[in-house]
Amino acid sequence: MLTQAAALVDEGGIVLDLGSGTGSTARAFRACGREQLLWRFFDNDPELLDIAGSQFAQAELVVGNLADVDALMLDGVALVTASALLDLMPRDWVTALGKRLRQEGIPFYAALSYDGKMRWTPPLPQDKAVTAHFNLHQCSDKGIGGALGPESGAQSAEVLRGLGFDVKLADSPWTLGTDQAALHAELLDGIGTAATEAGLPEGTEWAKTRRAMVKNSQAMIGHTDLLALPS
Ligand SMILES: C[S@@+](CC[C@H](N)C(=O)[O-])C[C@H]1O[C@@H](n2cnc3c(N)ncnc32)[C@H](O)[C@@H]1O
């Protein structure tokens, strides 16, 4: 799906990346051979934008709040992208964005939205409860309203299809192996804390136990990619 999204933009075309962070979407496009795109990175964190800008010299850096969809600069934009963002956003936000993109005839590629599924090898009895509570936490308000969380792929597809987009969804699981123990351990802390905050006191202890076995564990964190084409 990444290749299909990347093919929608001509060399030198402008891509607006929402919630760009340090520019991981652009790095993924570059890794699939698209090095000559003009990136417009949009985020509310100027420090992350500076890092993105240091890696893409021609990029435009825009500090702003995604809440104001009407203020997004879409002039000259051939494609709007987002990575690991849709699950943080409310359904109303996706509707507002979809309406603007539909009006302008701009396609939308949203990669790596968390889909609510997590699995570890070897398993622990608390994995299911932690996942359920983490998923609850994912639906909390991240600043713009109740987030879609694990439903973000399916619900965004429904919204965008309703607005007349041709929408494709694809599973895009993220696997953390024994060679990514440090990243895995960091992730476990975040999951445990979120599960605890969502009402599972054992979440913190679970993270500690899993951290102790991280060098011999694997994790699968389910994600969905979405491509919406204005028909
Ligand atoms: C989970 S990170 C994803 C970053 C990057 N796209 C990636 O895949 O690594 C979400 C990003 O959205 C930004 N963000 C969250 N809420 C925002 C808002 N209301 N306005 C602008 N940026 C926001 C954060 O600063 C962060 O960089």
Side-chain angles (χ1 to χ4, degrees):
M1 194 177 278
L2 170 63
T3 316
Q4 199 185 343
L8 295 169
V9 194
D10 293 332
E11 289 297 299
I14 301 175
V15 186
L16 169 62
D17 189 34
L18 305 176
S20 62
T22 63
S24 67
T25 315
R27 285 193 291 279
F29 274 58
R30 189 160 62 186
C32 83
R34 300 310 309 274
E35 292 175 19
Q36 303 301 325
L37 303 178
L38 290 180
W39 288 93
R40 183 174 292 166
F41 292 128
F42 187 104
D43 206 286
N44 60 6
D45 187 330
E47 288 181 20
L48 297 182
L49 282 174
D50 279 347
I51 297 172
S54 69
Q55 298 177 11
F56 294 85
Q58 290 183 305
E60 195 182 333
L61 308 181
V62 185
V63 183
N65 191 342
L66 286 168
D68 191 358
V69 169
D70 288 339
L72 291 175
M73 294 190 301
L74 298 179
D75 49 297
V77 168
L79 173 68
V80 171
T81 58
S83 295
L85 183 78
L86 275 189
D87 42 54
L88 305 178
M89 308 312 272
R91 185 177 167 111
D92 285 354
W93 181 85
V94 178
T95 306
L97 178 68
K99 283 183 179 166
R100 273 213 74 196
L101 298 185
R102 188 77 185 88
Q103 209 169 19
E104 306 286 338
I106 300 173
F108 180 48
Y109 171 63
L112 294 171
S113 307
Y114 173 61
D115 74 358
K117 299 184 197 99
M118 295 196 280
R119 265 200 315 275
W120 283 270
T121 313
L124 287 178
Q126 305 91 334
D127 290 348
K128 272 193 181 161
V130 168
T131 301
H133 284 79
F134 178 76
N135 289 351
L136 274 181
H137 191 273
Q138 288 295 102
C139 295
S140 59
D141 187 339
K142 307 291 187 304
I144 307 187
L148 285 169
E151 289 294 312
S152 56
Q155 290 218 23
S156 299
E158 184 183 289
V159 166
L160 295 168
R161 283 187 185 123
L163 291 170
F165 284 86
D166 182 8
V167 180
K168 283 184 188 166
L169 288 176
D171 287 339
S172 184
W174 185 32
T175 307
L176 288 163
T178 47
D179 53 336
Q180 289 152 301
L183 180 61
H184 189 178
E186 203 178 312
L187 189 75
L188 290 168
D189 281 343
I191 293 170
T193 304
T196 303
E197 284 175 10
L200 187 75
E202 308 89 288
T204 314
E205 196 54 36
W206 169 88
K208 208 169 144 193
T209 308
R210 277 232 159 269
R211 274 185 77 106
M213 52 199 280
V214 76
K215 287 190 180 149
N216 299 305
S217 303
Q218 269 200 342
M220 189 291 297
I221 316 290
H223 288 86
T224 303
D225 292 346
L226 173 150
L227 182 63
L229 304 174
S231 44

